[in-house]
Amino acid sequence: MSADLSTVLLVDRHRGTLDQALEAVRTRAFWSPHPEHPKAYPDPDAGRAAFEALAGRRFALDQPGTDGWTGDERSPFGVELGVHYPHPDPDVLLPAMRAAMPVWRAAGPEARALVCLEIIARINERTHEFAHAVMHTSGQAFTMAFQAGGPHAQDRAVEAVTYAYIEQVRTPESAEWTKPQGKRDPIGLRKTFTAVPRGIGLVIGCNTFPTWNGYPGLFASLATGNAVLVKPHPRAVLPLALTVEIAREVLAEAGYPRDLVCLAVDHPGEGLAKTLALRPEIRLIDYTGSTAFGDWLEANARQAQVFTEKAGVNTVVIDSTGDYRGMLANLAFSLSLYSGQMCTTPQNLLIPRDGIATDQGDKTFDEVVADLAAAVDHLLGDDARANALLGALVNPDVKSRLDAAPGIGDVALASRAVTHPDFPDAVVRTPAIVKLDGAKTDDDSPYLSECFGPVSFAVAVDSTAGALELLRRTIRDKGAMTVAGYTTSAQVEQELEEVCFEECAQLSLNLTGGVYVNQTAAFSDFHGSGGNPAANSALCDGAFVANRFRVVEVRRPA
Amino acid sequence: MSADLSTVLLVDRHRGTLDQALEAVRTRAFWSPHPEHPKAYPDPDAGRAAFEALAGRRFALDQPGTDGWTGDERSPFGVELGVHYPHPDPDVLLPAMRAAMPVWRAAGPEARALVCLEIIARINERTHEFAHAVMHTSGQAFTMAFQAGGPHAQDRAVEAVTYAYIEQVRTPESAEWTKPQGKRDPIGLRKTFTAVPRGIGLVIGCNTFPTWNGYPGLFASLATGNAVLVKPHPRAVLPLALTVEIAREVLAEAGYPRDLVCLAVDHPGEGLAKTLALRPEIRLIDYTGSTAFGDWLEANARQAQVFTEKAGVNTVVIDSTGDYRGMLANLAFSLSLYSGQMCTTPQNLLIPRDGIATDQGDKTFDEVVADLAAAVDHLLGDDARANALLGALVNPDVKSRLDAAPGIGDVALASRAVTHPDFPDAVVRTPAIVKLDGAKTDDDSPYLSECFGPVSFAVAVDSTAGALELLRRTIRDKGAMTVAGYTTSAQVEQELEEVCFEECAQLSLNLTGGVYVNQTAAFSDFHGSGGNPAANSALCDGAFVANRFRVVEVRRPA
């Protein structure tokens, strides 16, 4: 291969990272190959300039089957991006992608992993540029866009590559099989085992976390030998377009067809994701978004393996605490971060109506809610800090839900508009907390539906046992990406665990410091459980990668 | 635990086997914990007597929710079994099975694996009894029923337990996670990871290989913490009823609820499998059988992970050979074994119409077909040997297809009825070979549908290239459990491999000795690829077990 990126070079650059990642997912101790502090990345101005230079331009990718240009992203901070992307003709693009696959399959698991790690490393080098792209598509504040959209997303990408690699190499490339035949000569066979791809993977991106939620599926499919077509959310194209551009560049430098990774951006209202999802060439789909479309994909894209992360209702059970201030501060942060626009943000705070025991004495239901409201106020009292945490509302639907919140119940904390000094058009809002009575829960109870955005419900329950029952029902019927609990009782802790084991949800207990229920760390934490209605897969485990390829055995007489 | 089977005892008995199995699936060298020769198992008469003592009896299992008795198995060898099995009321049985699960979940992966291995060991001890039960439900000849229904099925069971164990322990039970915070104190979390089951697994058995095809799903689901409901084929209940009985016995002795494994036998025409498959408690389904019902399960049992092995069309590409006699003998055996009633039996023999080169000189198409017919005749010329290989036709549908074969094309080898000395009512038939022209293949071409049973088609193709194209089309449209090829050309060999890589099928090349395309060995060979329409899973790989459980993480401040 006369490629610029030889395998020797790639091994030298990335095999060590792969080995460390293999060890990290085995021990699940803290590890990351990507520093998360912006200062660790040189030349922020160049990153900003690179981002700004993209505005109003055609984002040319030289893909086959481009039949026009499209795109009308507008930043939640009010900036018009005006980038135009190639619009695909699937009848030309998909066959070209399929044609690119045999040489990628033949490269084998290690070469594919190393090429993927090179792509991720190139992305990492441009983290400042990505941070602006993520900020101005998702509405995340800069620091969060930098971290969650940059190193944390890159971590999840490396994690997916690592799992894909493990899964493919657990079967050896070849084996000698010798079966004794008593006194006769043994029978011998020579066997080879080859990981073969499923086809083309379709990644359907989301508006809020284009890279963090998009990378695991993209890299899991690519590392297992598939081609990958990236269909971003129409309002969050740019970070994934940059990703596709870098992937194509690295593939070409390493001697592989760049059409292994392509971009598909649709015309407004075209519904390209639906069309693509049903194409016979598409054999894998990774989707993050609404339950309605996720369910549609699972029901209709029968020719594909479909990995979905949909809506859920996240619960916090508050039974008691030995660190009342810590609990309030921790929850206040969780409710505020990115204006609650995370699939992992707590929505329902279940609190016994008779109050809870704390290290600050017993607190009534109303006191707990008022103190939490005060903690949020305290956290967001300064506009600069509020802007740094909240970011902007990502779309008008979120604002509508927030505006409607006071009609649902007693407002314990009213949302407040915050002005952004740099972006006057940004819709920045602090979270609202609404008090509700959980005594008469029925299917129409507002807290039994996802209210995506900065609205949470403080639900008065009869007892902790009642909270656990409501938790169980919520997970079972609505799904949950996260569950949190606060208790000083070993008994309650065990009961909480039991509910989460039985209903299959990830549980965080007594978080009072600098770790928040809405954050998960790659290589250690699972994002979602894959076992309740919120998501049919978890990031990242064996099940996330094992069916993205198959093993073909060829056997011959030895 | 005051159980008879303590964990210490189980570790002592089976941990060594588990460790050897872990090594076997890693190297895929030959290994089996179960001798395959009947003489390795003591007291055949006791096994036969135990089988005979079951006839005409109620097979009591003491399951909850038994609302009557059912069963009307009649051996393909003509013997009325007359065993009656409990008929279940799912509204009582399924909740009881769910209630049994928490303690099994809490046992953890190793204890579950060891209990499963004890169940398999008890089954192994009764291999002679199982051999008769398999013979008189499947119609397999005794030796095959003994081997395929006994040690080979037990091997597949151990393999499934092994994969289930690997998958569950790749995430540690706990981890300490410490994230540096620059000059501040690091953040610490203590994390636990628990494999939790999906729910109840439903195993829908088949007529021809009740144990071999039933065990992988049964043991994969059980070893991952699920309860398992076994719904045998109405004509092949007994081997799985014995299995359920033994499993319940071992579970109870080990201190676990016996209702973790239950049997469901339906009344004639009741369609219980369909009812059960849609129950919300059923979260895993393992099915072997017709494409129609497999497709129905995949489309409708949306609440469950569905693992199917359906119909396929298996092809042999005959390009050339360096061992003409060996090839003919090998193929003759493959066509004859169990009267071709294996999902892995070759159906279409694609042979260039201009003939092939062999070590015995060039052979025309007609010569190859005639010589193959003669090889079958030679193999089955002696009635005793014919009976020992063929077994009985499993049901009247197979006989109908065989009777219809002469109407499809020129008969190159006519089927012959063989009388069984011990079972005069058995329908024993030698295979038929029908010659067809592959020049004008269309969707109605008879060789493009599965003709399950002792009928194969010798299809004249224009060239080896044409054979490869027809092979590709057959796998893509109809699926294939096996592909075989004979060639002396390195180029053709590579092209055959390429088709199998691209269409995802398992390939056996130039088999001329004592290994046959229709046989796969546990721990080394994959049965099916899971990547073409014949089956959506392979026995046994990571994908077969990874989604039978989920991991629930609980994290707390350290």
Side-chain angles (χ1 to χ4, degrees):
Chain A
M1 208 184 294
S2 65
D4 296 338
L5 280 172
S6 68
T7 301
V8 173
L9 186 64
L10 289 170
V11 167
D12 188 47
R13 278 194 199 161
H14 301 298
R15 181 71 225 194
T17 304
L18 181 58
D19 288 336
Q20 286 181 283
L22 290 167
E23 179 66 5
V25 300
R26 199 184 64 74
T27 66
R28 305 198 85 79
F30 172 80
W31 181 74
S32 168
H34 306 116
E36 66 180 0
H37 201 288
K39 287 187 181 156
Y41 296 83
D43 213 351
D45 293 341
R48 175 192 290 265
F51 163 73
E52 287 171 349
L54 293 164
R57 299 279 290 277
R58 277 198 172 173
F59 200 101
L61 284 168
D62 195 23
Q63 292 180 174
T66 293
D67 65 8
W69 296 84
T70 188
D72 62 346
E73 292 159 290
R74 185 184 164 83
S75 164
F77 291 97
V79 180
E80 198 75 51
L81 299 192
V83 188
H84 291 90
Y85 305 95
H87 180 276
D89 174 356
D91 290 333
V92 178
L93 183 59
L94 296 179
M97 293 181 72
R98 272 209 67 95
M101 287 169 52
V103 60
W104 187 233
R105 180 196 76 222
E110 187 187 31
R112 285 194 294 267
L114 298 173
V115 169
C116 287
L117 293 181
E118 176 69 16
I119 295 169
I120 299 163
R122 300 267 182 107
I123 292 169
N124 178 257
E125 286 168 12
R126 290 166 66 177
T127 295
H128 273 289
E129 182 182 354
F130 272 87
H132 291 284
V134 170
M135 174 180 174
H136 285 290
T137 47
S138 69
Q140 290 173 24
F142 180 78
T143 303
M144 179 169 176
F146 188 96
Q147 295 188 333
H152 296 172
Q154 295 151 18
D155 282 352
R156 283 281 177 212
V158 171
E159 184 189 51
V161 171
T162 305
Y163 269 94
Y165 175 78
I166 296 171
E167 200 63 32
Q168 292 171 92
V169 301
R170 67 196 284 183
T171 301
E173 286 179 22
S174 62
E176 299 291 330
W177 183 86
T178 307
K179 182 174 179 179
Q181 298 291 301
K183 289 169 191 160
R184 286 173 293 149
D185 285 345
I187 296 176
L189 290 176
R190 189 160 48 87
K191 305 180 179 186
T192 62
F193 301 95
T194 303
V196 304
R198 305 300 302 242
I200 302 174
L202 176 65
V203 175
I204 305 176
C206 69
N207 197 172
T208 47
F209 289 91
T211 56
W212 200 97
N213 276 93
Y215 283 0
L218 193 171
F219 284 98
S221 285
L222 189 61
T224 45
N226 303 279
V228 179
L229 181 58
V230 180
K231 159 70 185 75
H233 190 283
R235 284 193 293 263
V237 178
L238 188 55
L240 290 175
L242 288 168
T243 303
V244 168
E245 182 181 52
I246 292 169
R248 292 170 62 83
E249 190 179 284
V250 171
L251 283 162
E253 286 179 37
Y256 301 102
R258 56 177 81 220
D259 292 334
L260 286 165
V261 179
C262 290
L263 185 73
V265 182
D266 49 359
H267 294 305
E270 180 187 0
L272 183 59
K274 243 177 168 159
T275 312
L276 291 173
L278 300 182
R279 290 283 302 216
E281 299 93 337
I282 300 295
R283 301 297 304 277
L284 299 158
I285 298 178
D286 287 89
Y287 168 76
T288 310
S290 74
T291 295
F293 192 54
D295 288 346
W296 183 89
L297 287 169
E298 291 174 19
N300 292 282
R302 306 293 317 289
Q303 85 291 357
Q305 306 285 324
V306 180
F307 301 86
T308 56
E309 183 187 319
K310 303 175 286 190
V313 174
N314 303 319
T315 299
V316 184
V317 173
I318 302 179
D319 166 75
S320 54
T321 176
D323 180 2
Y324 189 56
R325 292 291 143 205
M327 175 183 86
L328 295 172
N330 188 282
L331 284 175
F333 187 93
S334 282
L335 298 182
S336 302
L337 184 65
Y338 188 26
S339 309
Q341 298 171 115
M342 299 175 73
C343 57
T344 50
T345 303
Q347 174 177 307
N348 296 343
L349 314 164
L350 310 187
I351 308 165
R353 68 180 74 251
D354 294 338
I356 64 168
T358 83
D359 59 316
Q360 310 282 307
D362 290 352
K363 302 288 178 184
T364 66
F365 171 83
D366 284 335
E367 284 171 335
V368 175
V369 180
D371 290 343
L372 178 59
V376 174
D377 271 342
H378 175 75
L379 179 70
L380 304 176
D382 173 68
D383 274 5
R385 189 153 70 161
N387 273 307
L389 267 183
L390 294 168
L393 299 195
V394 67
N395 65 45
D397 290 346
V398 175
K399 183 166 178 300
S400 301
R401 277 191 295 270
L402 177 59
D403 292 343
I408 298 175
D410 289 346
V411 175
L413 175 65
S415 176
R416 172 172 77 81
V418 178
T419 303
H420 198 294
D422 303 327
F423 304 105
D425 291 343
V427 181
V428 182
R429 293 288 185 278
T430 65
I433 302 177
V434 175
K435 286 200 279 195
L436 294 169
D437 190 337
K440 29 191 187 308
T441 300
D442 57 38
D443 290 348
D444 296 332
S445 296
Y447 48 86
L448 281 189
S449 293
E450 189 191 48
C451 186
F452 186 80
V455 179
S456 56
F457 302 116
V459 182
V461 290
D462 290 340
S463 61
T464 295
L468 293 172
E469 209 33 59
L470 183 51
L471 168 65
R472 182 188 291 277
R473 174 176 177 170
T474 306
I475 304 171
R476 186 177 293 181
D477 295 349
K478 303 295 172 173
M481 292 301 291
T482 60
V483 175
Y486 289 91
T487 183
T488 57
S489 154
Q491 168 76 18
V492 170
E493 201 168 303
Q494 205 185 324
E495 289 167 358
L496 260 167
E497 286 187 282
E498 194 61 25
V499 171
C500 290
F501 289 153
E502 291 194 358
E503 303 305 329
C504 204
Q506 308 298 14
L507 174 64
S508 296
L509 281 168
N510 298 319
L511 296 184
T512 54
V515 173
Y516 305 97
V517 64
N518 27 356
Q519 296 178 323
T520 59
F523 309 107
S524 184
D525 293 323
F526 291 105
H527 174 74
S529 76
N532 68 56
N536 77 359
S537 55
L539 304 179
C540 187
D541 63 8
F544 189 68
V545 297
N547 225 343
R548 291 180 193 260
F549 69 99
R550 306 299 312 164
V551 174
V552 169
E553 174 185 352
V554 180
R555 53 183 187 171
R556 311 166 160 81
Chain B
M1 206 182 292
S2 66
D4 297 336
L5 279 172
S6 68
T7 302
V8 174
L9 186 64
L10 288 171
V11 168
D12 189 45
R13 278 195 198 159
H14 302 298
R15 181 70 226 195
T17 304
L18 182 58
D19 289 336
Q20 285 180 284
L22 290 167
E23 180 65 7
V25 300
R26 199 184 64 74
T27 66
R28 305 198 87 78
F30 172 81
W31 180 74
S32 166
H34 306 116
E36 67 181 358
H37 200 288
K39 287 189 181 153
Y41 296 83
D43 214 352
D45 293 340
R48 174 193 289 265
F51 163 72
E52 287 171 351
L54 292 164
R57 300 281 290 279
R58 277 197 172 173
F59 200 101
L61 284 168
D62 195 23
Q63 291 182 176
T66 294
D67 65 7
W69 296 85
T70 189
D72 63 345
E73 292 159 288
R74 186 185 164 81
S75 163
F77 290 98
V79 180
E80 197 75 49
L81 298 192
V83 188
H84 292 91
Y85 306 95
H87 180 276
D89 174 357
D91 290 334
V92 177
L93 183 59
L94 296 178
M97 294 181 71
R98 271 208 69 93
M101 288 169 51
V103 62
W104 187 234
R105 180 196 76 223
E110 188 189 30
R112 285 194 294 267
L114 298 173
V115 169
C116 287
L117 293 181
E118 175 69 17
I119 295 170
I120 299 162
R122 299 265 183 107
I123 291 169
N124 179 255
E125 287 169 10
R126 290 166 66 176
T127 295
H128 273 289
E129 183 183 352
F130 272 87
H132 291 284
V134 170
M135 173 180 175
H136 285 289
T137 48
S138 69
Q140 289 173 26
F142 180 78
T143 304
M144 180 171 177
F146 188 96
Q147 295 189 331
H152 297 171
Q154 295 151 18
D155 282 352
R156 283 282 177 211
V158 172
E159 183 190 52
V161 170
T162 304
Y163 269 95
Y165 175 79
I166 297 171
E167 199 65 30
Q168 293 172 90
V169 301
R170 67 196 282 183
T171 302
E173 286 180 22
S174 63
E176 300 291 329
W177 184 86
T178 308
K179 181 176 179 177
Q181 299 291 300
K183 290 168 190 159
R184 287 173 292 150
D185 285 344
I187 296 174
L189 289 177
R190 188 159 48 86
K191 305 179 179 185
T192 61
F193 302 94
T194 304
V196 304
R198 306 299 303 242
I200 301 174
L202 176 66
V203 175
I204 303 176
C206 68
N207 198 169
T208 46
F209 289 91
T211 57
W212 200 97
N213 275 92
Y215 283 0
L218 194 172
F219 284 98
S221 285
L222 189 61
T224 46
N226 303 279
V228 179
L229 181 57
V230 179
K231 158 71 184 75
H233 190 283
R235 284 193 291 263
V237 178
L238 190 55
L240 290 174
L242 288 168
T243 304
V244 169
E245 181 181 54
I246 292 169
R248 291 169 63 81
E249 187 180 287
V250 171
L251 284 162
E253 285 179 38
Y256 301 102
R258 54 177 81 220
D259 292 335
L260 285 165
V261 180
C262 291
L263 184 73
V265 182
D266 49 0
H267 294 305
E270 180 187 359
L272 183 59
K274 240 174 171 163
T275 313
L276 291 172
L278 300 181
R279 291 282 303 214
E281 299 95 335
I282 300 295
R283 302 297 303 279
L284 299 158
I285 298 177
D286 288 88
Y287 168 76
T288 310
S290 74
T291 295
F293 192 54
D295 288 348
W296 184 89
L297 286 169
E298 291 174 19
N300 293 281
R302 307 294 317 287
Q303 85 292 353
Q305 305 285 323
V306 180
F307 301 86
T308 55
E309 184 188 318
K310 302 175 287 189
V313 175
N314 302 320
T315 299
V316 184
V317 173
I318 302 179
D319 166 74
S320 53
T321 178
D323 179 3
Y324 188 57
R325 292 290 145 208
M327 175 184 85
L328 295 173
N330 188 282
L331 284 174
F333 187 92
S334 282
L335 298 182
S336 303
L337 186 64
Y338 188 25
S339 310
Q341 298 171 115
M342 300 176 73
C343 57
T344 50
T345 304
Q347 175 177 308
N348 296 342
L349 314 165
L350 310 187
I351 308 165
R353 70 179 75 251
D354 293 339
I356 63 168
T358 84
D359 59 319
Q360 311 283 309
D362 290 352
K363 301 287 177 184
T364 66
F365 172 83
D366 284 333
E367 283 171 334
V368 174
V369 179
D371 289 343
L372 178 59
V376 174
D377 271 341
H378 175 74
L379 179 68
L380 303 177
D382 172 68
D383 274 6
R385 188 153 73 163
N387 273 307
L389 267 184
L390 294 168
L393 298 194
V394 67
N395 65 45
D397 290 348
V398 175
K399 182 165 178 298
S400 301
R401 277 190 296 270
L402 176 60
D403 292 343
I408 299 175
D410 289 345
V411 175
L413 174 66
S415 177
R416 171 172 79 82
V418 178
T419 303
H420 198 294
D422 302 327
F423 303 107
D425 291 345
V427 180
V428 182
R429 294 288 185 277
T430 65
I433 302 177
V434 175
K435 287 199 278 192
L436 293 169
D437 189 337
K440 33 192 183 303
T441 299
D442 59 38
D443 290 347
D444 296 331
S445 296
Y447 48 88
L448 281 189
S449 293
E450 190 193 46
C451 185
F452 186 78
V455 179
S456 57
F457 301 116
V459 182
V461 292
D462 290 341
S463 61
T464 295
L468 292 171
E469 210 33 57
L470 183 51
L471 168 66
R472 183 188 291 277
R473 176 176 177 172
T474 306
I475 304 172
R476 186 178 292 181
D477 295 349
K478 302 296 171 172
M481 294 299 292
T482 60
V483 175
Y486 289 90
T487 183
T488 56
S489 152
Q491 168 76 17
V492 170
E493 200 168 305
Q494 205 185 325
E495 288 167 358
L496 259 168
E497 287 188 281
E498 194 61 25
V499 171
C500 289
F501 289 152
E502 292 196 357
E503 303 306 329
C504 204
Q506 309 298 14
L507 174 63
S508 297
L509 281 169
N510 297 320
L511 296 184
T512 53
V515 174
Y516 305 97
V517 64
N518 27 355
Q519 295 178 324
T520 61
F523 309 108
S524 184
D525 293 323
F526 291 106
H527 175 74
S529 77
N532 68 55
N536 76 0
S537 55
L539 304 180
C540 183
D541 63 7
F544 189 69
V545 297
N547 224 343
R548 291 180 194 260
F549 69 99
R550 305 301 309 164
V551 174
V552 170
E553 174 185 351
V554 181
R555 53 185 188 170
R556 312 166 159 82

